[in-house]
Amino acid sequence: MSIFLQKKPVSYFASTLLLTTLALSTMGMTGCKNNNNDNSGLGNPTKTAEPTSTYQSVKFTPAGSYVHGDFDESAAEIIAYHPASKRSFVVNAQNKKVDVISLADIHAPILQQSLDVSDIGSTVNSVAVFNDMVAVAVQANVKTDNGYVVIYDANSLERLQTVEVGALPDMVTFTPDGNYVLVANEGEPDDMYQVDPEGSISIINIMDIKRPIVQTATFTAFNNQKQQLQAAGVRIFGKLADGTMSSVAQDLEPEYIAVSKDGKTAYVSLQENNAIAIVDIKSATVTDIKALGAKDHSLAGNELDVSNKDDKINITTWPIMGMYMPDAIATYTVNGKNYLVTANEGDSREWGKFDEEVRFADIKVDSSHFNKAACHNMDCADAAALGRIKFSSVMGDSNHDGVYENLYSFGARSFSIWDMDNMSQPVYDSGSLMAKYTAKKYPNNFNASNSSNKFDGRSNNKGIEPEGVTLAQVGSQTIAFIGLERISSVMAFDITDPKKVSLLGEINTRTFNDDLLKDAKKGKLKANADGDFGPEGLTFVDAKDSPTGKPLLLVGFEVSGSSKVFELEFMQ
């Protein structure tokens, strides 16, 4: 099935009908942090009272927002919530602090204080809350040096501990029992690709907060398994500027952590490597690395729009593959089985003189695979076909003869659910649902970027770009909230049965007003004058913890520099 629309206003279904239709279309589609206050991917999402029947939809009601800084300066990224003080903690990378926001009145958030870590390092990358503790991941002044996790009292905001961890701590979370703080140390190279630190996962025992104990799960045991990992599909290809090949431990870059419900296992996304690492928390050992593979965009259900130059919505099949490459992940349990939810954003590598991105015209391809028949009677190199989309130069030439038999694009433009006992393919993938939904609801701004309202602007580059995910337990149902980085929507799905997923609702606060956007960029108006752009971090607040007594979704919008509160109503 394909969607092929001209760029012009058209009449679409009423929102209720549209939601119902798309929800039904998702059911059965399959692909070939929690504690009371931190929903960053842990395995026991917060619960509300049991419903008398299944919720069929969710209504998002925008409440208040706080603008933390300027447009496109990463002034609001990751967000966590502390129920006792009714505060949110928001990473403000622009000011290199964590902003503490009172949500006592959700319609009028107020900045109370900022946690300044400039005496410790540079950029703050992540924040998490458990009970009355706040953990903050702080990058070193030299990003390839070891960073830090700083722990605060959530009530007094007193600094309790500073713990050295690995290079570039990118995401921090607690185990469900609060006994451990885990941090993903991404270990990115420096900008010139002269230094490439090892990626790792630091596990901090905080059962005695006065005497934290740090263990580090490293990848050094896999250094002698590079060929096996590459053959399995793990993307390992790093090479320093002087020609030295990076080791496996150097090349793997932990991005995000989700912890199993029993608190024994951590799942870690290795985004650029298109893989998931599995960590035994007690022993601080990486036990396995699982490649995620790629989805086949030539199959019905996996359609995408690949061109930003055809002035059309053209969601259809193409003879290419899409690497999942998730950013945020979350885990939950169904009948004793662990499942992983992945937001399949995609990310390429560009360090120093190395840039893996190529376009169709840059390479030689197998003409028996890439021909007019496969490209809808167009030359595959045409700008309206595959001429504009970006591919990886390190994938697809299986016999290394300089001719690409397959082409691999970045990201899968979807979210997926994986059975952690068998990750050969997802048990569910949303396929082209998100693209088709946004095409129908926002036809004049389809695939707009998060810094521009231009129609079709991101079709050639990861599309709607799912990036953030958080889970909530609402009665007997598990709900996944997915943030779409570019179009800036948040979508809600019922994932209670991982093989029978349904869409519950969507929210987008953009007005798509170019004049407002222009003034926001220039600083003449607030950074969110045209709405909220670039959802980065999402946190669910259970009704029992909410200032209003109703469940909330807190979202940090990176580009508009705004943290937003949405009140949620689940409807039967």
Side-chain angles (χ1 to χ4, degrees):
M1 186 172 100
S2 67
I3 289 184
F4 186 82
L5 301 174
Q6 299 291 333
K7 181 191 173 183
K8 59 184 180 181
V10 292
S11 174
Y12 292 98
F13 305 119
S15 59
T16 302
L17 177 59
L18 177 59
L19 288 175
T20 303
T21 303
L22 285 172
L24 290 172
S25 72
T26 7
M27 296 177 69
M29 180 190 291
T30 58
C32 0
K33 330 184 178 147
N34 185 312
N35 42 58
N36 288 340
N37 32 33
D38 174 20
N39 292 281
S40 57
L42 299 181
N44 54 337
T46 47
K47 291 188 176 183
T48 59
E50 290 289 328
T52 56
S53 61
T54 302
Y55 294 120
Q56 301 294 330
S57 64
V58 60
K59 178 183 178 182
F60 295 81
T61 300
S65 63
Y66 184 85
V67 179
H68 298 257
D70 300 325
F71 190 89
D72 207 12
E73 294 293 340
S74 299
E77 295 185 327
I78 307 305
I79 188 167
Y81 180 72
H82 180 233
S85 64
K86 296 179 173 57
R87 292 166 168 166
S88 65
F89 291 79
V90 184
V91 170
N92 186 334
Q94 181 180 4
N95 290 337
K96 302 180 180 180
K97 298 177 181 180
V98 174
D99 290 340
V100 184
I101 306 295
S102 172
L103 295 180
D105 180 354
I106 66 168
H107 300 284
I110 299 172
L111 175 66
Q112 291 189 326
Q113 187 176 327
S114 294
L115 305 180
D116 188 349
V117 294
S118 58
D119 60 316
I120 296 174
S122 61
T123 303
V124 178
N125 289 329
S126 184
V127 63
V129 171
F130 183 90
N131 287 345
D132 290 330
M133 287 184 291
V134 181
V136 177
V138 182
Q139 183 176 313
N141 291 315
V142 177
K143 83 167 186 176
T144 53
D145 291 346
N146 282 347
Y148 302 88
V149 168
V150 186
I151 299 175
Y152 291 86
D153 184 300
N155 291 302
S156 68
L157 304 182
E158 173 190 2
R159 188 183 291 179
L160 302 177
Q161 283 292 346
T162 300
V163 182
E164 184 174 337
V165 292
L168 189 57
D170 196 45
M171 186 269 181
V172 65
T173 190
F174 289 86
T175 54
D177 58 11
N179 289 336
Y180 297 90
V181 175
L182 278 61
V183 61
N185 305 307
E186 189 168 9
E188 284 182 351
D190 66 344
D191 291 342
M192 299 307 295
Y193 218 161
Q194 295 175 334
V195 178
D196 189 2
E198 293 186 355
S200 63
I201 300 93
S202 292
I203 299 170
I204 309 169
N205 183 325
I206 56 169
M207 284 184 269
D208 182 353
I209 191 61
K210 294 180 180 180
R211 296 175 180 83
I213 301 170
V214 185
Q215 293 180 284
T216 303
T218 72
F219 295 97
T220 54
F222 294 88
N223 281 341
N224 62 356
Q225 300 179 38
K226 179 182 279 190
Q227 290 184 338
Q228 297 97 306
L229 290 169
Q230 289 173 326
V234 182
R235 283 166 34 95
I236 302 172
F237 54 88
K239 183 169 67 173
L240 300 178
D242 65 2
T244 303
M245 299 300 295
S246 294
S247 68
V248 170
Q250 288 174 309
D251 201 66
L252 297 179
E253 297 182 1
E255 184 82 24
Y256 207 96
I257 303 173
V259 182
S260 63
K261 183 178 181 178
D262 61 12
K264 295 180 179 180
T265 306
Y267 305 106
V268 184
S269 62
L270 309 172
Q271 184 173 21
E272 291 85 353
N273 310 104
N274 195 31
I276 299 292
I278 301 175
V279 180
D280 178 74
I281 293 175
K282 185 177 181 179
S283 65
T285 304
V286 180
T287 60
D288 206 352
I289 300 171
K290 299 285 190 180
L292 293 179
K295 67 193 294 183
D296 188 345
H297 287 299
S298 71
L299 299 178
N302 289 343
E303 302 90 346
L304 74 167
D305 189 322
V306 297
S307 176
N308 63 339
K309 294 295 184 181
D310 58 356
D311 200 36
K312 295 180 179 71
I313 297 173
N314 186 20
I315 303 172
T316 190
T317 54
W318 295 98
I320 62 174
M321 308 295 288
M323 296 178 285
Y324 293 96
M325 308 182 82
D327 186 337
I329 59 176
T331 185
Y332 71 117
T333 303
V334 180
N335 296 326
K337 184 181 287 291
N338 289 332
Y339 291 90
L340 194 70
V341 183
T342 61
N344 303 320
E345 179 192 24
D347 199 8
S348 62
R349 282 179 165 173
E350 182 181 358
W351 302 111
K353 295 181 180 179
F354 175 77
D355 182 357
E356 73 164 306
E357 291 184 352
V358 293
R359 286 198 165 104
F360 198 91
D362 300 328
I363 55 178
K364 294 181 180 179
V365 299
D366 183 348
S367 59
S368 66
H369 185 58
F370 299 99
N371 50 48
K372 286 189 175 183
C375 289
H376 306 286
N377 206 33
M378 289 186 286
D379 185 336
C380 289
D382 193 292
L386 300 179
R388 293 294 302 165
I389 191 170
K390 297 178 179 179
F391 302 103
S392 172
S393 62
V394 302
M395 305 278 290
D397 179 8
S398 59
N399 58 5
H400 307 291
D401 64 352
V403 178
Y404 287 77
E405 299 85 18
N406 292 292
L407 294 175
Y408 290 82
S409 61
F410 302 97
R413 308 191 186 198
S414 63
F415 84 95
S416 302
I417 304 175
W418 307 78
D419 180 344
M420 296 311 297
D421 293 332
N422 179 10
M423 296 188 65
S424 59
Q425 63 180 14
V427 296
Y428 169 84
D429 184 86
S430 63
S432 54
L433 181 147
M434 292 171 167
K436 292 176 179 178
Y437 180 98
T438 54
K440 288 183 176 181
K441 191 169 182 182
Y442 310 105
N444 294 321
N445 301 97
F446 169 72
N447 272 354
S449 184
N450 54 8
S451 59
S452 168
N453 292 325
K454 184 181 178 182
F455 169 85
D456 213 22
R458 293 289 299 186
S459 290
N460 66 314
N461 193 1
K462 296 179 280 189
I464 39 90
E465 206 163 328
E467 178 177 21
V469 57
T470 194
L471 304 187
Q473 192 72 26
V474 182
S476 61
Q477 292 168 257
T478 303
I479 310 299
F481 296 93
I482 313 291
L484 310 185
E485 182 180 3
R486 296 297 171 173
I487 193 67
S488 302
S489 292
V490 175
M491 303 183 81
F493 294 85
D494 181 354
I495 62 167
T496 307
D497 181 345
K499 296 181 180 180
K500 191 177 181 182
V501 174
S502 60
L503 174 64
L504 299 181
E506 178 264 357
I507 186 69
N508 191 313
T509 65
R510 289 173 69 165
T511 64
F512 298 105
N513 184 309
D514 288 335
D515 291 334
L516 293 177
L517 180 57
K518 182 178 179 181
D519 286 344
K521 288 181 175 181
K522 290 182 176 180
K524 293 181 179 180
L525 295 173
K526 285 187 176 182
N528 67 339
D530 188 31
D532 301 289
F533 288 70
E536 175 91 359
L538 299 87
T539 293
F540 176 78
V541 178
D542 190 86
K544 65 181 175 58
D545 297 322
S546 168
T548 66
K550 296 181 179 180
L552 307 175
L553 185 70
L554 311 182
V555 184
F557 288 89
E558 180 182 19
V559 176
S560 58
S562 52
S563 59
K564 186 83 174 181
V565 181
F566 296 97
E567 203 165 51
L568 304 175
E569 182 181 359
F570 295 93
M571 296 175 289
Q572 296 172 0

